[in-house]
Amino acid sequence: MNQVRFTMALIEELNNQGNFLFRWRSYIPGFILFLSLAYLPFVPYFQGLYISNLYWLFFAFVVSLVGLFVRCFTIGYTPKNTSGRNTKQQVADVVNQTGIYSLVRHPLYVGNFLMYLGPVLILRDLAFALVYIMFFYLYYERIIFAEEYFLRGKFGKDYLSWADKTPAFIPRLGGYIKPKLNFSYRNILKREYPSLFGIIVVFGIFDLIQVYFQEPTLHQTSIFGIWKPFHTYFLGFGLVFYVLTRVVVKTTKLLEVDGR
């Protein structure tokens, strides 16, 4: 009896921790970005050259874009009240079992992992990357526990039968089931434009910091048609994109999609 009580108490504690982290899941990973920014001034240019560093920055940027692509592919097919940005409580009208959800149970967190991994890679520090992976695992493990606790309680056997055959985080290679809904680019733009803007801001600021500390007496020098510093154009594009998209989202219904 005592063992059962202890087990139930542990389950409730993990669930409470997961729900707390779930409410703050959009902000807490920013701690990793803060640590990266604090470390960045001590990271020299890749191969000692700005252009080489720009190539490495582009590689890390692509990693983050792959993460965003995973999120977009997920959201492009998902119905309303699933796979959302809700933070106050767990919400699910159905158990997604098609599309990317036929390959992995938590594709949005796979996308988040890759999005944050990009800036971490800029530091070129294996130890820091391992700390990030451990932090991400411990952090999202609690959130996943709370989400699955909620889904199991709401959908019962329907959820369990899907979860038994679908990996939690590392996607399986076969068994893809085509979604019933059509792919919606408007839904992606409406819900993920802050993510793209966030990536642009992070990489633009990272480039700015490295230029500031590596070249304190920087002169505007053209490199293959790209004026140094690169972040000037990058951040400018991101800001224009964000403002225009936000105006459309907040003042029109152009990106509204029924049932999304």
Side-chain angles (χ1 to χ4, degrees):
M1 180 63 69
N2 290 336
Q3 181 65 33
V4 173
R5 289 179 178 176
F6 174 78
T7 302
M8 293 303 296
L10 180 60
I11 290 174
E12 290 300 323
E13 177 63 22
L14 291 174
N15 185 51
N16 290 336
Q17 291 178 13
N19 283 320
F20 172 79
L21 294 174
F22 175 83
R23 290 191 293 269
W24 295 95
R25 71 191 189 280
S26 298
Y27 304 99
I28 295 180
F31 178 65
I32 291 292
L33 294 179
F34 174 78
L35 292 179
S36 300
L37 284 171
Y39 186 16
L40 191 60
F42 306 100
V43 179
Y45 282 158
F46 182 60
Q47 296 181 338
L49 300 171
Y50 179 77
I51 188 61
S52 298
N53 199 73
L54 202 59
Y55 290 146
W56 181 258
L57 198 74
F58 178 74
F59 165 73
F61 182 67
V62 169
V63 172
S64 289
L65 285 185
V66 170
L68 180 61
F69 172 81
V70 172
R71 287 187 58 87
C72 290
F73 187 80
T74 303
I75 290 171
Y77 285 113
T78 52
K80 188 177 181 180
N81 287 337
T82 58
S83 304
R85 292 179 176 271
N86 49 296
T87 57
K88 295 183 179 180
Q89 61 182 1
Q90 306 284 354
V91 175
D93 289 342
V94 296
V95 179
N96 287 332
Q97 301 185 35
T98 61
I100 197 170
Y101 283 97
S102 62
L103 304 178
V104 62
R105 299 204 302 272
H106 299 279
L108 291 180
Y109 297 153
V110 175
N112 289 350
F113 172 77
L114 294 172
M115 283 173 58
Y116 285 102
L117 179 62
V120 170
L121 290 176
I122 295 175
L123 303 180
R124 309 193 306 276
D125 189 304
L126 179 60
F128 191 89
L130 292 176
V131 168
Y132 162 70
I133 293 171
M134 291 178 61
F135 173 85
F136 189 94
Y137 174 81
L138 293 173
Y139 175 69
Y140 275 98
E141 180 189 40
R142 298 294 192 274
I143 296 176
I144 288 174
F145 180 91
E147 288 189 358
E148 298 201 343
Y149 184 83
F150 165 78
L151 293 170
R152 184 175 60 183
K154 183 172 183 176
F155 298 105
K157 292 182 179 179
D158 188 36
Y159 170 77
L160 290 174
S161 62
W162 166 70
D164 285 342
K165 61 184 179 182
T166 309
F169 195 78
I170 300 177
R172 62 182 180 180
L173 299 179
Y176 181 80
I177 301 174
K178 185 178 180 180
K180 296 179 181 179
L181 292 176
N182 293 325
F183 191 77
S184 174
Y185 290 99
R186 286 188 295 167
N187 195 44
I188 290 174
L189 189 57
K190 175 186 175 182
R191 294 173 61 176
E192 287 303 304
Y193 76 94
S195 296
L196 178 57
F197 178 65
I199 292 174
I200 291 174
V201 168
V202 167
F203 278 85
I205 291 176
F206 273 44
D207 181 62
L208 171 64
I209 290 175
Q210 283 198 292
V211 168
Y212 179 82
F213 283 96
Q214 298 301 316
E215 300 185 52
T217 58
L218 175 70
H219 298 286
Q220 295 288 338
T221 305
S222 178
I223 301 178
F224 301 126
I226 300 176
W227 283 87
K228 190 167 56 172
F230 174 70
H231 54 259
T232 303
Y233 299 98
F234 204 50
L235 289 172
F237 166 78
L239 182 60
V240 171
F241 164 79
Y242 179 82
V243 171
L244 291 179
T245 307
R246 188 167 182 81
V247 168
V248 171
V249 170
K250 296 297 183 180
T251 63
T252 73
K253 294 185 178 180
L254 292 175
L255 300 180
E256 295 289 336
V257 183
D258 291 337
R260 302 297 183 99

